Amino acid sequence: MLQEERILRIRSLLAKFKRLSIERIAQDLAVSRETARRDVLQLEAQGELRRVHGGVVLKGPEPEPPVSERARVNQQEKRAIAKAALKLLLPGQTVFLDAGTTTTVLAEELASLSGLTVITNGLAAALKLGAADDARAPRNTILLLGGRIDAGVQATYGDDTINEIHRHQADIALLSPVGISRQHGATSFEHHEAAVARAMAQQAQRVIILADYSKFGHSSRVSYVKTTDIDTIVTDARARALPGFAALQRAGARLVVA
């Protein structure tokens, strides 16, 4: 079997199984382990796979870590972003807030304002906003969107959630993506999370993206807002030095640095 044929076969196997051992590749192609390793090295150089202990995995966007782990990362940057986003809001506005660790921090900051209507699918965000209010005389109106519950990200999702979003017209959608890039805009790893964010963006007059430096220049599996449809990106000072920051600036994006 020619190397070109072997490469095609490895691609086919990876597309099906996502993860393969060197032994499995060698057996399937009827070649030595050394030959299998050489083919793997070529595919890795082309960016098509990633070597791991004992084998290879199909290269692609990594799923997000658990929300409990993400909540501990870049806390200072997320707090600064939340405070900067607060300055973009006015009393009387209706805002969408999607589920995420950055938007949950924003919910804590939003509790200091009054006169807002906040519509969210984030369970943690809704609880933080609700707990900060006096039940007898709430300063803000908090609406938790119904739907199926994703305990992993502490959010509601699904057709019922989307249908509820389309019942509202908001001034601003405040969204926190997995990645933000000039080419793909705001992206998410999970399709159902992207569907919620996309619906919020469609039903809002303005879209504000909240993204710390670690998300710049990265793309995940599902794009939900094109760069040209984003009104403002709020980030932290560490993002300034990244190529992704400059690329978004060149594309005409408005960037607010906390």
Side-chain angles (χ1 to χ4, degrees), residues 16-67:
K16 182 176 181 180
F17 297 107
K18 312 302 181 189
R19 186 184 185 104
L20 295 168
S21 67
I22 295 296
E23 186 68 32
R24 168 66 189 274
I25 295 171
Q27 288 178 354
D28 194 278
L29 274 59
V31 296
S32 67
R33 290 173 61 90
E34 289 70 26
T35 298
R37 285 195 185 93
R38 284 197 297 271
D39 292 342
V40 161
L41 286 171
Q42 178 170 326
L43 283 168
E44 183 182 42
Q46 295 170 192
E48 297 186 42
L49 56 77
R50 179 166 54 89
R51 284 186 296 161
V52 295
H53 181 68
V56 297
V57 295
L58 184 66
K59 192 169 182 180
E62 296 287 339
E64 283 192 287
V67 66

Side-chain angles (χ1 to χ4, degrees), residues 85-91 93 95 106 110 113 116 172 174 208:
L86 216 63
K87 299 175 183 177
L88 304 177
L89 306 179
L90 296 171
Q93 288 182 322
V95 301
L106 176 59
L110 287 175
L113 300 182
L116 292 175
I172 297 172
L174 295 150
I208 297 177

Side-chain angles (χ1 to χ4, degrees), residues 194-215:
V196 169
R198 185 180 300 114
M200 288 180 172
Q202 290 170 348
Q203 295 299 111
Q205 293 181 26
R206 294 170 56 208
V207 175
I208 297 177
I209 296 295
L210 313 177
D212 66 58
Y213 73 94
S214 66
K215 300 181 180 183

Side-chain angles (χ1 to χ4, degrees), residues 215-237:
K215 300 181 180 183
F216 271 69
H218 296 290
S219 298
S220 197
R221 295 193 300 181
V222 192
S223 176
Y224 61 80
V225 183
K226 295 187 296 184
T227 303
T228 52
D229 293 331
I230 297 171
D231 294 280
T232 306
I233 301 169
V234 185
T235 188
D236 59 275

Side-chain angles (χ1 to χ4, degrees), residues 173-195:
L174 295 150
L175 310 173
S176 180
V178 173
I180 178 74
S181 68
R182 175 179 179 174
Q183 182 179 4
H184 299 290
T187 56
S188 183
F189 184 81
E190 297 292 351
H191 285 269
H192 67 265
E193 291 180 44

Side-chain angles (χ1 to χ4, degrees), residues 137-158:
R139 289 175 296 173
N140 299 299
T141 300
I142 314 303
L143 301 178
L144 175 63
L145 295 164
R148 299 176 64 183
I149 292 179
D150 184 335
V153 295
Q154 301 177 10
T156 57
Y157 71 98

